[in-house]
Amino acid sequence: MPDLLIELFSEEIPARMQRRAGEDLKKRMTDGLVEAGLTYAGAHALTTPRRLTLAIDGLLAESPTVREERKGPKVGAPDKAIEGFLRGAGLTRDQLEERDTPKGAVYFASIEKPGRPAAEIIAEVLETTIRNFPWPKSMRWGSGPLKWVRPLHSILCLLSDEAGIEVVQLDIDGIKSGNTTQGHRFMEPGEIAVSGFDDYATKLKRANVVLDPAERADAIWQDATNQAFANGLEVVEDKGLLAEVAGLVEWPVVLLGAIDDEFLSLPPEVLQTSMKEHQKFFSVRNPKTGRIEKFITVANRETADNGATILAGNQKVLSARLADAKFFWENDLRVAKEGMETWTEALGSVTFHNKLGTQADRINRIAALAREIAPVVGADADLSEQAAQVAKADLSSEMVYEFPELQGLMGRYYAEAAGLPQEVANACENHYSPLGPSDDVPTEPVSVAVALADKLDTLTGFWAVDEKPTGSKDPFALRRAALGVIRLVIENDARSHLDRFFDAQLLRHEMAQSQGDAESQELMGDMLKEIGKHGVFGSAVRTVLDTFDGDLPKHLEELKNSLPDVSKDLLGFFHDRLKVFLRDQGIRHDVIDACIAMDGNDDLTLLVKRARALEDFMKSDDGTNLLQGYKRANNILTQAEAKDGVEYSYGGDVKFAEEPSEVALFEALAANEGAISSAIEAEDFAAAMGSMAALRSPVDAFFEAVQVNTDNEVVRRNRLNLLHQIRTVCGQVADLTKVEG
C-alpha cells in the first residue's frame, strides 16, 4: 500500500489561519478519497507559515471494482422512460435483463464500475479541495481564477511505496505538481527533491524548516525560559501568543532583549499588552519585584552576529511604542489626580445603545442599583455607589482608547492615583468579572455589588427594549451576563429575590425612555421608592395608586400590565442559564425543574441548595422508591378527582383506616410533616430529605397492602384524602411530578 505526501507551498499564511487550514486539508482530502473508495491507515497534517502538509499512510493502490444492480421501469413502459433509465445507468437496451416480479416483468440493470488507480482519484480530489478551500479570506493574483489565502507557488503530490515513487500529475492554473519543495526562505532557499514523508521531513529540517508547529512552540518556550532563568527572570506565560509566534517562523531563534529604564515604571500590564499586541514579544518578569524588565522576541533566522542587529531594530521600534504608552499613562495620571469626574462627564456624549442612552446614563442607573444591592452582599452602600460612579471612567482615558483590553484594570490604577478608597479602586477592576466560566468571581463586597449592578442593568435594559437573544445569536453577550450574575450570587452565597432588582431597574429604564410629563415621572419615582420598601412591583404600584387622585396616565396603565410580564420573562431566561450551569455540575434537568416550580425561585442561592439536596436524595434508594410511591399516589388521586369532580384535600381520618399499614402511614405522615416543614423553613434541605426518607417504607407498605379504590365509598374517600396528604407533605420539598422516574 503506498503512502501519499501533499504539500501546498505559498507565500506566508496568517498564523491564526494555519491550524484550521491543516484540519480542513486533512478532512477534505480523506473524506474525498474514502468516498471514491480509497481507504487508508492513518493521516496527519502539519503547517508552517509557507506550507500546508498532509501525509496519508497505507492508502489503497486503486479503488475496488463496484457492482451495482438497479431496478428500472416495467417491460413495455414508454420509450422515454426506458431511455432515461439507460442514460442514468450508462447502458444500452440489449444490456438490460428482464425479470418477473409480483408486479409484472421489470427491467434490471447490472452496472460494474471498475476500480481506478489511486493517482487518478487523488488528482481529482486534490484539485477539488484546492479550488474550493474554505479560507476565511482569500485572494486572486495574476490572470487565473484560482483563489488562495496568499499566492500559491507549488504543489508537491507524491505516492511512494517499496517499488518507488510516483508524482501525481496535476495542473491548476499553470501550477504543476512535482516532487520538490523549498527550504527556508533566507537560509536554504533552493529546491529540494523528496521521495516520501520521512525524507521530506528530514531534508526540511536540514534546510532550516521545523515542520511541526508543536515542535516549534516547544523549542521557543524551552529556549525562552532557559534564557530568562539564566538572568534570574521568568517568562510570563501566554499560550495564545506562543501558538501565534510558532505560526510566524519556520526556524525559531529566541532572542532576549532589554527594555529601556525610562519605561520600567509603567504598569506591568501596560508593558505586557503593548509588547504583545504591537510586537508579538513575550514579557520577561523579575519574580522578586513583579516588574517587566526584559522581552523575548523570536526571529525566523540565524545571523552572523547572533541576532544583535535584529534585537537592535526591535528595541528601537519597541521604544517608540512604549514612548506612546508612557505619554498616555502620564497624561491619564494627571487627569485622574485632578478628579475622575472629567472622564465620567465625557461619557455623556458616548452612546451605549441607541435605545438605552449614553454611558453616563447607564452609570447613573448602575450606581442607584449598586446602592440597593449593597446590603444584600454585605457592602457599604455609599462606597458601592461611589465605585459604580467611577468604575467606567477609564473608558475615556487615552490608555484604554489605545488598549481596550485594559479597561477596568487601568480604572484601578487611576482610582488609586485619585486617592479613592481601595475598595472603590478594586471594584473598578473587578466589576467586569466574571467574563467567562473559567474567570474568577469577585468576593470583595463592594466589587460584588457593582458587578451585579452592571450585569443586571445590561440584562434589564435589553429586555426593556426587546433586544433578547434569539437562537444562536446573542450580539450583546446577554447569556454570558446572566451566567455572571448566577456565579456572583451563588459563589458569594448572596440571598435576595432577584425579582425586586429586575422590577426596580426595568422601571428606571422606563423612566429614562418615557416621554411622559412631570407627574408621570414623579409617580414612577414613587413606585421606585416603594419597590425598595415592599420588594415587588405589584405592591409598589398598589401603594402609589392608592394615594393617586384621578385617572392613571395611559402609558403608566400599560406599564402596570407589561412590566411584570417582562420581569417574569427575564427570570425564565435566568432559569434556563441556571439549568446549563447546574447540569455542568451533574444536577439533572428534571431535578432543577422540580425546584424551579417552587415559590421563591428568584432566590438563586436557595434554589441551588434545594436542587443539590434533591439531586443527592434522588440518587439514593429511598429517594428512588419514594418517588415511585409519590407518583403512584399522585396519579391515583388525579384520576379520581377528575372522575368524581371533587378535590380530596380535606384530610383523612385515621379512625376510618382498616389496615395496619394504613394506620402506620397516617402516623408516619403526622410524625414527619412538621419535621419537613421546620427543616424547609430553616433551609436545611438535607434534613428535610432525611425526614422524607422515613416515609419510604410506610408508603411502600401501604400500596402493597391496600386497594385505594375500594367499594366502600367512605373508606375510598378517606384513602384518597390520605393520598392528598402524601402529595402535600412531599410537595413541600419540590414539585416531584416534574422528576422523571
Side-chain angles (χ1 to χ4, degrees):
M1 287 183 173
D3 298 329
L4 173 64
L5 173 63
I6 296 171
E7 181 199 74
L8 305 177
F9 184 84
S10 69
E11 295 294 327
E12 274 73 6
I13 304 166
R16 68 183 183 279
M17 298 184 187
Q18 291 171 22
R19 179 179 176 184
R20 176 64 184 271
E23 294 170 352
D24 286 336
L25 177 62
K26 176 182 173 181
K27 177 172 175 53
R28 287 179 174 246
M29 283 301 301
T30 54
D31 286 355
L33 294 176
V34 170
E35 187 177 340
L38 291 182
T39 58
Y40 61 96
H44 64 281
L46 299 167
T47 62
T48 79
R50 295 207 294 164
R51 66 199 85 220
L52 301 182
T53 300
L54 176 65
I56 299 179
D57 305 324
L59 193 68
L60 288 180
E62 63 178 23
S63 62
T65 298
V66 177
R67 291 176 177 81
E68 179 186 356
E69 186 174 86
R70 293 185 190 175
K71 182 180 178 182
K74 290 183 178 181
V75 175
D79 288 343
K80 286 188 177 181
I82 296 173
E83 288 169 4
F85 177 65
L86 290 171
R87 281 195 301 273
L91 302 174
T92 59
R93 189 178 289 239
D94 61 327
Q95 292 176 298
L96 296 179
E97 178 185 349
E98 294 183 20
R99 294 184 194 171
D100 290 329
T101 70
K103 295 184 179 181
V106 175
Y107 286 119
F108 280 82
S110 295
I111 305 168
E112 181 175 297
K113 293 183 179 179
R116 294 192 295 156
E120 183 180 326
I121 295 172
I122 291 166
E124 290 178 2
V125 175
L126 183 54
E127 180 168 1
T128 300
T129 298
I130 291 174
R131 292 194 182 278
N132 299 284
F133 204 80
W135 291 109
K137 291 184 179 180
S138 55
M139 61 180 289
R140 285 196 187 97
W141 63 97
S143 58
L146 179 64
K147 289 183 178 181
W148 203 246
V149 62
R150 296 290 185 270
L152 184 63
H153 289 319
S154 68
I155 300 170
L156 184 155
C157 192
L158 197 65
L159 277 171
S160 59
D161 56 17
E162 296 83 355
I165 65 172
E166 175 187 2
V167 174
V168 177
Q169 297 301 319
L170 193 66
D171 187 337
I172 299 180
D173 292 1
I175 304 172
K176 295 183 179 180
S177 59
N179 67 333
T180 61
T181 184
Q182 292 189 31
H184 192 279
R185 181 188 286 275
F186 307 112
M187 300 173 72
E188 292 287 342
E191 281 197 348
I192 303 168
V194 302
S195 59
F197 178 76
D198 290 340
D199 183 47
Y200 167 79
T202 301
K203 287 181 176 177
L204 279 181
K205 182 67 73 73
R206 282 199 217 114
N208 301 101
V209 175
V210 179
L211 191 57
D212 188 345
E215 184 182 345
R216 295 196 300 274
D218 288 344
I220 291 168
W221 186 249
Q222 187 70 27
D223 202 2
T225 52
N226 286 344
Q227 290 193 38
F229 181 76
N231 286 271
L233 305 172
E234 62 184 14
V235 183
V236 177
E237 187 174 3
D238 190 328
K239 292 181 180 178
L241 179 60
L242 180 60
E244 185 176 6
V245 171
L248 296 174
V249 296
E250 289 192 323
W251 188 256
V253 177
V254 175
L255 303 172
L256 177 66
I259 300 171
D260 289 347
D261 291 344
E262 63 177 304
F263 304 122
L264 295 181
S265 60
L266 286 171
E269 297 87 354
V270 171
L271 287 169
Q272 187 177 346
T273 302
S274 180
M275 291 193 293
K276 173 183 176 178
E277 295 300 319
H278 291 149
Q279 306 300 121
K280 309 304 177 189
F281 291 171
F282 293 91
S283 298
V284 181
R285 178 172 54 207
N286 185 329
K288 295 178 181 177
T289 64
R291 290 199 316 174
I292 304 295
E293 297 182 354
K294 294 183 181 294
F295 68 89
I296 290 285
T297 185
V298 182
N300 191 31
R301 62 178 298 176
E302 296 173 355
T303 60
D305 62 0
N306 295 318
T309 302
I310 294 174
L311 265 182
N314 280 328
Q315 286 173 320
K316 185 176 180 180
V317 175
L318 178 61
S319 293
R321 291 290 190 183
L322 294 183
D324 290 342
K326 184 181 180 184
F327 175 78
F328 298 148
W329 169 246
E330 291 174 349
N331 273 0
D332 287 344
L333 280 181
R334 277 195 293 271
V335 175
K337 289 175 181 177
E338 291 172 3
M340 297 177 74
E341 295 80 9
T342 304
W343 286 334
T344 305
E345 290 169 4
L347 291 175
S349 59
V350 178
T351 300
F352 170 65
H353 184 274
N354 61 353
K355 296 180 181 178
L356 296 173
T358 66
Q359 285 282 11
D361 296 332
R362 185 162 180 257
I363 287 169
N364 290 332
R365 291 194 304 269
I366 293 171
L369 184 57
R371 186 174 191 88
E372 294 172 3
I373 292 174
V376 173
V377 296
D380 180 273
D382 291 334
L383 284 179
S384 298
E385 183 176 5
Q386 183 185 17
Q389 288 286 0
V390 299
K392 298 189 181 296
D394 66 339
L395 295 178
S396 297
S397 69
E398 294 184 59
M399 187 69 79
V400 172
Y401 183 83
E402 179 71 13
F403 300 114
E405 59 269 40
L406 292 179
Q407 63 185 12
L409 174 70
M410 298 313 301
R412 173 171 65 81
Y413 280 115
Y414 298 146
E416 289 172 343
L420 297 178
Q422 191 61 48
E423 298 96 325
V424 172
N426 293 343
C428 291
E429 178 179 9
N430 295 327
H431 79 281
Y432 290 105
S433 299
L435 289 174
S438 59
D439 248 15
D440 290 337
V441 173
T443 56
E444 193 172 327
V446 172
S447 296
V448 174
V450 180
L452 281 171
D454 181 29
K455 291 169 177 56
L456 287 174
D457 179 75
T458 299
L459 287 156
T460 54
F462 285 107
W463 247 255
V465 298
D466 199 24
E467 293 275 4
K468 297 176 284 189
T470 55
S472 60
K473 294 182 179 179
D474 186 9
F476 304 111
L478 300 181
R479 293 187 178 96
R480 186 176 71 183
L483 181 59
V485 171
I486 289 168
R487 292 189 61 203
L488 281 162
V489 168
I490 293 172
E491 295 185 30
N492 284 288
D493 199 27
R495 298 299 310 278
S496 183
H497 293 284
L498 281 181
D499 221 8
R500 165 192 171 186
F501 301 122
F502 292 169
D503 293 342
Q505 212 64 359
L506 285 168
L507 192 54
R508 286 192 178 97
H509 286 292
E510 177 63 26
M511 292 173 69
Q513 298 169 45
S514 174
Q515 301 300 317
D517 54 24
E519 184 180 42
S520 297
Q521 290 287 330
E522 185 179 352
L523 278 173
M524 287 189 283
D526 291 341
M527 291 179 191
L528 199 56
K529 293 175 185 176
E530 289 298 327
I531 289 175
K533 296 177 184 176
H534 297 282
V536 290
F537 181 71
S539 299
V541 170
R542 285 192 296 273
T543 302
V544 171
L545 295 187
D546 285 345
T547 63
F548 183 72
D549 185 19
D551 294 333
L552 193 66
K554 183 179 177 182
H555 74 277
L556 287 188
E557 186 68 46
E558 294 172 352
L559 175 67
K560 182 182 74 171
N561 297 325
S562 65
L563 190 145
D565 291 336
V566 176
S567 183
K568 183 178 179 182
D569 185 63
L570 179 54
L571 182 59
F573 178 74
F574 267 87
H575 287 158
D576 289 340
R577 293 295 90 207
L578 184 64
K579 288 179 187 178
V580 175
F581 176 72
L582 293 180
R583 275 204 300 267
D584 290 342
Q585 298 182 14
I587 299 179
R588 290 162 25 192
H589 67 89
D590 54 330
V591 168
I592 303 169
D593 284 336
C595 297
I596 288 174
M598 305 300 289
D599 290 338
N601 60 13
D602 61 334
D603 183 341
L604 300 185
T605 301
L606 179 68
L607 179 54
V608 170
K609 286 181 179 179
R610 189 190 297 265
R612 286 174 175 159
L614 183 58
E615 174 71 21
D616 291 341
F617 182 59
M618 286 298 127
K619 289 178 180 177
S620 67
D621 289 340
D622 286 337
T624 302
N625 291 327
L626 181 60
L627 177 64
Q628 292 173 353
Y630 172 87
K631 290 201 167 190
R632 186 174 178 183
N634 186 64
N635 290 338
I636 294 171
L637 182 59
T638 302
Q639 291 168 8
E641 289 179 336
K643 176 184 175 184
D644 300 342
V646 297
E647 186 178 284
Y648 293 101
S649 58
Y650 303 104
D653 194 328
V654 69
K655 71 182 179 183
F656 296 113
E658 295 185 338
E659 297 288 339
S661 60
E662 199 172 354
V663 175
L665 181 56
F666 269 110
E667 293 172 350
L669 288 169
N672 288 283
E673 181 176 11
I676 294 172
S677 299
S678 299
I680 290 174
E681 188 175 345
E683 298 180 5
D684 188 350
F685 294 108
M689 300 302 169
S691 297
M692 285 257 290
L695 297 176
R696 172 208 167 168
S697 295
V699 170
D700 287 348
F702 173 79
F703 281 116
E704 286 176 9
V706 171
Q707 179 183 350
V708 175
N709 288 311
T710 180
D711 293 335
N712 187 323
E713 193 60 31
V714 173
V715 174
R716 175 179 176 271
R717 284 199 303 272
N718 194 58
R719 288 174 178 171
L720 289 171
N721 280 310
L722 181 58
L723 296 189
H724 184 272
Q725 282 185 258
I726 295 174
R727 185 164 68 181
T728 301
V729 171
C730 296
Q732 296 177 92
V733 173
D735 185 351
L736 298 182
T737 61
K738 296 185 179 297
V739 180
E740 298 173 2

